[in-house]
Each structure stands twice: as C-alpha cells, then as structure tokens.
Amino acid sequence: MTAKIKRVFPGGNTADGFFSYYDYMIEQKDAKHIFCIKGGPGVGKSSMMKNIGSEMLRLGYDVEYHHCSSDNNSIDGIVIPALKVAMVDATANSIKW
C-alpha cells in the first residue's frame, strides 16, 4: 500500500479577517510528540519539514502537509497521523498553541 499525502490550508485570509483551523491539526492530548520549531524567514523550517515528510512517505507513513495561507509553497506544519507526531512552525505570527 502506498503512503498518502494530504495537503491542507488550516488558515485563511478572508474578507472577514484571518480564520484559523490550526487548533485541529492534532489533538494535544492524543499526540505523542509535538515538535515546535522557530527561526527567521528563509532559514529552512519549511524545507526541513518537507524533507522529514518525504522520508516518512518513503517509509510508508501517510503525511499531512499544512500549508501557509499567505505562501502555498511554505509549510506551517506536518502531521504523521499513525505516529501521532506533529512538527509545527512556532515562530511568532504562525501557529498559536
């Protein structure tokens, strides 16, 4: 069985302002690990999450890519549901936990 990729935009810039579903990426009480990474623009947070996601797919795990609402090439987080693990960009103005 081939691992599946799920791509979502958990936040949206709408006419009524920013709307967020980030709280629903993974239930904190059910998660085994939530890795929060921080860093300035362009330091490689998204690239690192993309690389980890690719490796998890290669190992046969389904991966959720949570894309940034203002830049669809940027990743705000990944979730590996079977492992109950998430990695999120915890830099200011990103995900609010």
Side-chain angles (χ1 to χ4, degrees):
M1 184 171 192
T2 304
K4 294 183 177 88
I5 297 172
K6 181 178 181 180
R7 297 186 182 276
V8 297
F9 289 85
N13 295 311
T14 73
D16 293 324
F18 185 76
F19 194 77
S20 174
Y21 282 103
Y22 286 107
D23 290 344
Y24 303 101
M25 286 178 68
I26 189 168
E27 291 288 331
Q28 289 186 28
K29 65 180 173 49
D30 297 331
K32 289 189 178 179
H33 295 285
I34 299 175
F35 297 94
C36 300
I37 57 173
K38 296 179 87 170
V43 299
K45 298 178 302 288
S46 285
S47 294
M48 181 175 70
M49 287 188 276
K50 288 175 187 177
N51 289 337
I52 290 170
S54 292
E55 182 64 14
M56 292 294 102
L57 286 165
R58 189 188 71 74
L59 293 172
Y61 293 100
D62 294 347
V63 175
E64 297 176 8
Y65 290 97
H66 294 257
H67 291 268
C68 175
S69 61
S70 61
D71 177 5
N72 63 348
N73 290 317
S74 183
I75 302 294
D76 276 345
I78 60 171
V79 177
I80 299 95
L83 299 177
K84 298 181 181 181
V85 170
M87 178 176 280
V88 297
D89 179 346
T91 306
N93 298 324
S94 289
I95 297 168
K96 308 288 189 282
W97 288 92

PDB file of all heavy atoms in Angstrom, residues 51-79:
ATOM      1  N   ASN A  51      11.404  17.774   3.950  1.00  0.00           N
ATOM      2  CA  ASN A  51      12.335  16.641   3.903  1.00  0.00           C
ATOM      3  C   ASN A  51      11.913  15.531   4.862  1.00  0.00           C
ATOM      4  O   ASN A  51      11.977  14.345   4.518  1.00  0.00           O
ATOM      5  CB  ASN A  51      13.755  17.103   4.216  1.00  0.00           C
ATOM      6  CG  ASN A  51      14.355  17.935   3.110  1.00  0.00           C
ATOM      7  OD1 ASN A  51      13.934  17.854   1.963  1.00  0.00           O
ATOM      8  ND2 ASN A  51      15.332  18.748   3.456  1.00  0.00           N
ATOM      9  N   ILE A  52      11.494  15.899   6.053  1.00  0.00           N
ATOM     10  CA  ILE A  52      11.023  14.897   7.014  1.00  0.00           C
ATOM     11  C   ILE A  52       9.767  14.215   6.472  1.00  0.00           C
ATOM     12  O   ILE A  52       9.634  12.990   6.545  1.00  0.00           O
ATOM     13  CB  ILE A  52      10.779  15.528   8.395  1.00  0.00           C
ATOM     14  CG1 ILE A  52      12.124  15.916   9.016  1.00  0.00           C
ATOM     15  CG2 ILE A  52       9.997  14.581   9.313  1.00  0.00           C
ATOM     16  CD1 ILE A  52      12.023  16.764  10.271  1.00  0.00           C
ATOM     17  N   GLY A  53       8.844  15.005   5.912  1.00  0.00           N
ATOM     18  CA  GLY A  53       7.635  14.434   5.318  1.00  0.00           C
ATOM     19  C   GLY A  53       7.960  13.454   4.203  1.00  0.00           C
ATOM     20  O   GLY A  53       7.381  12.363   4.126  1.00  0.00           O
ATOM     21  N   SER A  54       8.906  13.820   3.348  1.00  0.00           N
ATOM     22  CA  SER A  54       9.312  12.925   2.246  1.00  0.00           C
ATOM     23  C   SER A  54       9.888  11.611   2.773  1.00  0.00           C
ATOM     24  O   SER A  54       9.591  10.544   2.245  1.00  0.00           O
ATOM     25  CB  SER A  54      10.353  13.614   1.361  1.00  0.00           C
ATOM     26  OG  SER A  54       9.779  14.688   0.675  1.00  0.00           O
ATOM     27  N   GLU A  55      10.681  11.706   3.812  1.00  0.00           N
ATOM     28  CA  GLU A  55      11.262  10.490   4.390  1.00  0.00           C
ATOM     29  C   GLU A  55      10.181   9.611   5.026  1.00  0.00           C
ATOM     30  O   GLU A  55      10.208   8.384   4.904  1.00  0.00           O
ATOM     31  CB  GLU A  55      12.344  10.858   5.413  1.00  0.00           C
ATOM     32  CG  GLU A  55      13.045   9.665   6.022  1.00  0.00           C
ATOM     33  CD  GLU A  55      13.845   8.822   5.033  1.00  0.00           C
ATOM     34  OE1 GLU A  55      14.096   9.264   3.904  1.00  0.00           O
ATOM     35  OE2 GLU A  55      14.216   7.686   5.414  1.00  0.00           O
ATOM     36  N   MET A  56       9.228  10.220   5.700  1.00  0.00           N
ATOM     37  CA  MET A  56       8.130   9.451   6.307  1.00  0.00           C
ATOM     38  C   MET A  56       7.293   8.769   5.225  1.00  0.00           C
ATOM     39  O   MET A  56       6.892   7.607   5.387  1.00  0.00           O
ATOM     40  CB  MET A  56       7.243  10.356   7.170  1.00  0.00           C
ATOM     41  CG  MET A  56       7.903  10.888   8.430  1.00  0.00           C
ATOM     42  SD  MET A  56       8.290   9.582   9.635  1.00  0.00           S
ATOM     43  CE  MET A  56      10.038   9.370   9.358  1.00  0.00           C
ATOM     44  N   LEU A  57       7.060   9.466   4.106  1.00  0.00           N
ATOM     45  CA  LEU A  57       6.351   8.847   2.980  1.00  0.00           C
ATOM     46  C   LEU A  57       7.135   7.656   2.441  1.00  0.00           C
ATOM     47  O   LEU A  57       6.564   6.599   2.166  1.00  0.00           O
ATOM     48  CB  LEU A  57       6.132   9.869   1.865  1.00  0.00           C
ATOM     49  CG  LEU A  57       5.056  10.923   2.115  1.00  0.00           C
ATOM     50  CD1 LEU A  57       5.197  12.061   1.119  1.00  0.00           C
ATOM     51  CD2 LEU A  57       3.669  10.304   2.040  1.00  0.00           C
ATOM     52  N   ARG A  58       8.443   7.833   2.303  1.00  0.00           N
ATOM     53  CA  ARG A  58       9.291   6.742   1.805  1.00  0.00           C
ATOM     54  C   ARG A  58       9.214   5.530   2.719  1.00  0.00           C
ATOM     55  O   ARG A  58       9.247   4.386   2.269  1.00  0.00           O
ATOM     56  CB  ARG A  58      10.747   7.230   1.685  1.00  0.00           C
ATOM     57  CG  ARG A  58      11.654   6.241   0.968  1.00  0.00           C
ATOM     58  CD  ARG A  58      13.103   6.656   1.028  1.00  0.00           C
ATOM     59  NE  ARG A  58      13.676   6.527   2.355  1.00  0.00           N
ATOM     60  CZ  ARG A  58      14.011   5.381   2.951  1.00  0.00           C
ATOM     61  NH1 ARG A  58      13.793   4.231   2.347  1.00  0.00           N
ATOM     62  NH2 ARG A  58      14.544   5.363   4.158  1.00  0.00           N
ATOM     63  N   LEU A  59       9.059   5.787   4.026  1.00  0.00           N
ATOM     64  CA  LEU A  59       8.952   4.691   5.000  1.00  0.00           C
ATOM     65  C   LEU A  59       7.540   4.102   5.073  1.00  0.00           C
ATOM     66  O   LEU A  59       7.303   3.166   5.821  1.00  0.00           O
ATOM     67  CB  LEU A  59       9.383   5.182   6.382  1.00  0.00           C
ATOM     68  CG  LEU A  59      10.868   5.553   6.512  1.00  0.00           C
ATOM     69  CD1 LEU A  59      11.136   6.208   7.856  1.00  0.00           C
ATOM     70  CD2 LEU A  59      11.738   4.319   6.315  1.00  0.00           C
ATOM     71  N   GLY A  60       6.605   4.681   4.304  1.00  0.00           N
ATOM     72  CA  GLY A  60       5.259   4.122   4.227  1.00  0.00           C
ATOM     73  C   GLY A  60       4.211   4.801   5.088  1.00  0.00           C
ATOM     74  O   GLY A  60       3.086   4.307   5.192  1.00  0.00           O
ATOM     75  N   TYR A  61       4.545   5.921   5.712  1.00  0.00           N
ATOM     76  CA  TYR A  61       3.589   6.634   6.565  1.00  0.00           C
ATOM     77  C   TYR A  61       2.838   7.702   5.774  1.00  0.00           C
ATOM     78  O   TYR A  61       3.436   8.404   4.951  1.00  0.00           O
ATOM     79  CB  TYR A  61       4.310   7.319   7.733  1.00  0.00           C
ATOM     80  CG  TYR A  61       4.904   6.367   8.722  1.00  0.00           C
ATOM     81  CD1 TYR A  61       6.258   6.064   8.700  1.00  0.00           C
ATOM     82  CD2 TYR A  61       4.112   5.751   9.685  1.00  0.00           C
ATOM     83  CE1 TYR A  61       6.816   5.186   9.612  1.00  0.00           C
ATOM     84  CE2 TYR A  61       4.656   4.863  10.602  1.00  0.00           C
ATOM     85  CZ  TYR A  61       6.007   4.579  10.552  1.00  0.00           C
ATOM     86  OH  TYR A  61       6.546   3.708  11.458  1.00  0.00           O
ATOM     87  N   ASP A  62       1.548   7.827   6.026  1.00  0.00           N
ATOM     88  CA  ASP A  62       0.775   8.938   5.485  1.00  0.00           C
ATOM     89  C   ASP A  62       1.260  10.227   6.136  1.00  0.00           C
ATOM     90  O   ASP A  62       1.621  10.241   7.324  1.00  0.00           O
ATOM     91  CB  ASP A  62      -0.720   8.773   5.776  1.00  0.00           C
ATOM     92  CG  ASP A  62      -1.349   7.588   5.068  1.00  0.00           C
ATOM     93  OD1 ASP A  62      -0.710   7.019   4.157  1.00  0.00           O
ATOM     94  OD2 ASP A  62      -2.483   7.239   5.420  1.00  0.00           O
ATOM     95  N   VAL A  63       1.258  11.313   5.355  1.00  0.00           N
ATOM     96  CA  VAL A  63       1.737  12.598   5.858  1.00  0.00           C
ATOM     97  C   VAL A  63       0.739  13.690   5.485  1.00  0.00           C
ATOM     98  O   VAL A  63       0.250  13.739   4.362  1.00  0.00           O
ATOM     99  CB  VAL A  63       3.127  12.957   5.272  1.00  0.00           C
ATOM    100  CG1 VAL A  63       3.569  14.342   5.711  1.00  0.00           C
ATOM    101  CG2 VAL A  63       4.163  11.922   5.672  1.00  0.00           C
ATOM    102  N   GLU A  64       0.454  14.547   6.451  1.00  0.00           N
ATOM    103  CA  GLU A  64      -0.353  15.745   6.215  1.00  0.00           C
ATOM    104  C   GLU A  64       0.593  16.936   6.155  1.00  0.00           C
ATOM    105  O   GLU A  64       1.378  17.164   7.072  1.00  0.00           O
ATOM    106  CB  GLU A  64      -1.340  15.981   7.351  1.00  0.00           C
ATOM    107  CG  GLU A  64      -2.367  14.906   7.530  1.00  0.00           C
ATOM    108  CD  GLU A  64      -3.258  15.153   8.736  1.00  0.00           C
ATOM    109  OE1 GLU A  64      -3.171  16.245   9.363  1.00  0.00           O
ATOM    110  OE2 GLU A  64      -4.032  14.247   9.070  1.00  0.00           O
ATOM    111  N   TYR A  65       0.503  17.699   5.058  1.00  0.00           N
ATOM    112  CA  TYR A  65       1.256  18.949   4.932  1.00  0.00           C
ATOM    113  C   TYR A  65       0.284  20.094   5.163  1.00  0.00           C
ATOM    114  O   TYR A  65      -0.714  20.212   4.459  1.00  0.00           O
ATOM    115  CB  TYR A  65       1.870  19.072   3.540  1.00  0.00           C
ATOM    116  CG  TYR A  65       3.000  18.115   3.257  1.00  0.00           C
ATOM    117  CD1 TYR A  65       2.779  16.924   2.579  1.00  0.00           C
ATOM    118  CD2 TYR A  65       4.297  18.407   3.666  1.00  0.00           C
ATOM    119  CE1 TYR A  65       3.811  16.046   2.308  1.00  0.00           C
ATOM    120  CE2 TYR A  65       5.337  17.529   3.400  1.00  0.00           C
ATOM    121  CZ  TYR A  65       5.089  16.362   2.720  1.00  0.00           C
ATOM    122  OH  TYR A  65       6.118  15.486   2.455  1.00  0.00           O
ATOM    123  N   HIS A  66       0.569  20.913   6.138  1.00  0.00           N
ATOM    124  CA  HIS A  66      -0.274  22.066   6.464  1.00  0.00           C
ATOM    125  C   HIS A  66       0.412  23.311   5.906  1.00  0.00           C
ATOM    126  O   HIS A  66       1.418  23.775   6.446  1.00  0.00           O
ATOM    127  CB  HIS A  66      -0.497  22.153   7.975  1.00  0.00           C
ATOM    128  CG  HIS A  66      -1.288  21.001   8.485  1.00  0.00           C
ATOM    129  ND1 HIS A  66      -2.622  21.105   8.804  1.00  0.00           N
ATOM    130  CD2 HIS A  66      -0.956  19.701   8.690  1.00  0.00           C
ATOM    131  CE1 HIS A  66      -3.070  19.929   9.207  1.00  0.00           C
ATOM    132  NE2 HIS A  66      -2.074  19.056   9.139  1.00  0.00           N
ATOM    133  N   HIS A  67      -0.148  23.815   4.799  1.00  0.00           N
ATOM    134  CA  HIS A  67       0.465  24.921   4.064  1.00  0.00           C
ATOM    135  C   HIS A  67       0.126  26.276   4.685  1.00  0.00           C
ATOM    136  O   HIS A  67      -0.941  26.459   5.280  1.00  0.00           O
ATOM    137  CB  HIS A  67      -0.008  24.905   2.608  1.00  0.00           C
ATOM    138  CG  HIS A  67       0.531  23.748   1.834  1.00  0.00           C
ATOM    139  ND1 HIS A  67       1.686  23.829   1.110  1.00  0.00           N
ATOM    140  CD2 HIS A  67       0.069  22.484   1.687  1.00  0.00           C
ATOM    141  CE1 HIS A  67       1.918  22.664   0.531  1.00  0.00           C
ATOM    142  NE2 HIS A  67       0.946  21.826   0.874  1.00  0.00           N
ATOM    143  N   CYS A  68       1.032  27.214   4.488  1.00  0.00           N
ATOM    144  CA  CYS A  68       0.861  28.589   4.948  1.00  0.00           C
ATOM    145  C   CYS A  68      -0.200  29.283   4.087  1.00  0.00           C
ATOM    146  O   CYS A  68      -0.201  29.147   2.865  1.00  0.00           O
ATOM    147  CB  CYS A  68       2.195  29.314   4.832  1.00  0.00           C
ATOM    148  SG  CYS A  68       2.137  31.060   5.223  1.00  0.00           S
ATOM    149  N   SER A  69      -1.090  30.034   4.727  1.00  0.00           N
ATOM    150  CA  SER A  69      -2.168  30.696   3.991  1.00  0.00           C
ATOM    151  C   SER A  69      -1.658  31.826   3.104  1.00  0.00           C
ATOM    152  O   SER A  69      -2.298  32.172   2.117  1.00  0.00           O
ATOM    153  CB  SER A  69      -3.211  31.238   4.967  1.00  0.00           C
ATOM    154  OG  SER A  69      -2.627  32.196   5.826  1.00  0.00           O
ATOM    155  N   SER A  70      -0.507  32.400   3.422  1.00  0.00           N
ATOM    156  CA  SER A  70      -0.001  33.513   2.623  1.00  0.00           C
ATOM    157  C   SER A  70       1.062  33.088   1.604  1.00  0.00           C
ATOM    158  O   SER A  70       1.459  33.869   0.761  1.00  0.00           O
ATOM    159  CB  SER A  70       0.579  34.606   3.537  1.00  0.00           C
ATOM    160  OG  SER A  70       1.643  34.096   4.296  1.00  0.00           O
ATOM    161  N   ASP A  71       1.519  31.830   1.668  1.00  0.00           N
ATOM    162  CA  ASP A  71       2.527  31.327   0.736  1.00  0.00           C
ATOM    163  C   ASP A  71       2.357  29.820   0.621  1.00  0.00           C
ATOM    164  O   ASP A  71       2.808  29.065   1.474  1.00  0.00           O
ATOM    165  CB  ASP A  71       3.931  31.675   1.245  1.00  0.00           C
ATOM    166  CG  ASP A  71       5.043  31.116   0.370  1.00  0.00           C
ATOM    167  OD1 ASP A  71       4.754  30.524  -0.694  1.00  0.00           O
ATOM    168  OD2 ASP A  71       6.205  31.264   0.762  1.00  0.00           O
ATOM    169  N   ASN A  72       1.698  29.383  -0.456  1.00  0.00           N
ATOM    170  CA  ASN A  72       1.368  27.956  -0.569  1.00  0.00           C
ATOM    171  C   ASN A  72       2.588  27.060  -0.752  1.00  0.00           C
ATOM    172  O   ASN A  72       2.489  25.846  -0.635  1.00  0.00           O
ATOM    173  CB  ASN A  72       0.343  27.704  -1.669  1.00  0.00           C
ATOM    174  CG  ASN A  72       0.848  28.083  -3.039  1.00  0.00           C
ATOM    175  OD1 ASN A  72       1.870  28.736  -3.182  1.00  0.00           O
ATOM    176  ND2 ASN A  72       0.111  27.697  -4.055  1.00  0.00           N
ATOM    177  N   ASN A  73       3.766  27.635  -1.009  1.00  0.00           N
ATOM    178  CA  ASN A  73       4.990  26.829  -1.083  1.00  0.00           C
ATOM    179  C   ASN A  73       5.627  26.639   0.286  1.00  0.00           C
ATOM    180  O   ASN A  73       6.542  25.842   0.441  1.00  0.00           O
ATOM    181  CB  ASN A  73       5.998  27.468  -2.039  1.00  0.00           C
ATOM    182  CG  ASN A  73       5.548  27.366  -3.473  1.00  0.00           C
ATOM    183  OD1 ASN A  73       5.071  26.321  -3.900  1.00  0.00           O
ATOM    184  ND2 ASN A  73       5.660  28.447  -4.204  1.00  0.00           N
ATOM    185  N   SER A  74       5.148  27.381   1.266  1.00  0.00           N
ATOM    186  CA  SER A  74       5.687  27.306   2.616  1.00  0.00           C
ATOM    187  C   SER A  74       4.824  26.368   3.464  1.00  0.00           C
ATOM    188  O   SER A  74       3.606  26.330   3.315  1.00  0.00           O
ATOM    189  CB  SER A  74       5.701  28.707   3.227  1.00  0.00           C
ATOM    190  OG  SER A  74       6.274  28.691   4.508  1.00  0.00           O
ATOM    191  N   ILE A  75       5.465  25.625   4.349  1.00  0.00           N
ATOM    192  CA  ILE A  75       4.771  24.668   5.213  1.00  0.00           C
ATOM    193  C   ILE A  75       4.758  25.213   6.641  1.00  0.00           C
ATOM    194  O   ILE A  75       5.794  25.580   7.177  1.00  0.00           O
ATOM    195  CB  ILE A  75       5.484  23.293   5.186  1.00  0.00           C
ATOM    196  CG1 ILE A  75       5.567  22.732   3.770  1.00  0.00           C
ATOM    197  CG2 ILE A  75       4.810  22.299   6.130  1.00  0.00           C
ATOM    198  CD1 ILE A  75       4.255  22.382   3.163  1.00  0.00           C
ATOM    199  N   ASP A  76       3.571  25.276   7.239  1.00  0.00           N
ATOM    200  CA  ASP A  76       3.455  25.682   8.642  1.00  0.00           C
ATOM    201  C   ASP A  76       3.506  24.486   9.579  1.00  0.00           C
ATOM    202  O   ASP A  76       3.687  24.641  10.773  1.00  0.00           O
ATOM    203  CB  ASP A  76       2.152  26.445   8.887  1.00  0.00           C
ATOM    204  CG  ASP A  76       2.261  27.918   8.543  1.00  0.00           C
ATOM    205  OD1 ASP A  76       3.389  28.421   8.379  1.00  0.00           O
ATOM    206  OD2 ASP A  76       1.211  28.575   8.455  1.00  0.00           O
ATOM    207  N   GLY A  77       3.317  23.281   9.034  1.00  0.00           N
ATOM    208  CA  GLY A  77       3.373  22.103   9.882  1.00  0.00           C
ATOM    209  C   GLY A  77       3.190  20.823   9.088  1.00  0.00           C
ATOM    210  O   GLY A  77       2.711  20.840   7.956  1.00  0.00           O
ATOM    211  N   ILE A  78       3.629  19.730   9.701  1.00  0.00           N
ATOM    212  CA  ILE A  78       3.363  18.399   9.158  1.00  0.00           C
ATOM    213  C   ILE A  78       2.827  17.537  10.296  1.00  0.00           C
ATOM    214  O   ILE A  78       3.129  17.774  11.462  1.00  0.00           O
ATOM    215  CB  ILE A  78       4.601  17.723   8.522  1.00  0.00           C
ATOM    216  CG1 ILE A  78       5.730  17.539   9.535  1.00  0.00           C
ATOM    217  CG2 ILE A  78       5.071  18.485   7.293  1.00  0.00           C
ATOM    218  CD1 ILE A  78       6.892  16.696   9.029  1.00  0.00           C
ATOM    219  N   VAL A  79       2.007  16.564   9.924  1.00  0.00           N
ATOM    220  CA  VAL A  79       1.478  15.606  10.889  1.00  0.00           C
ATOM    221  C   VAL A  79       1.654  14.217  10.293  1.00  0.00           C
ATOM    222  O   VAL A  79       1.388  14.003   9.108  1.00  0.00           O
ATOM    223  CB  VAL A  79      -0.017  15.874  11.195  1.00  0.00           C
ATOM    224  CG1 VAL A  79      -0.566  14.822  12.147  1.00  0.00           C
ATOM    225  CG2 VAL A  79      -0.215  17.273  11.763  1.00  0.00           C
TER     226      VAL A  79
END
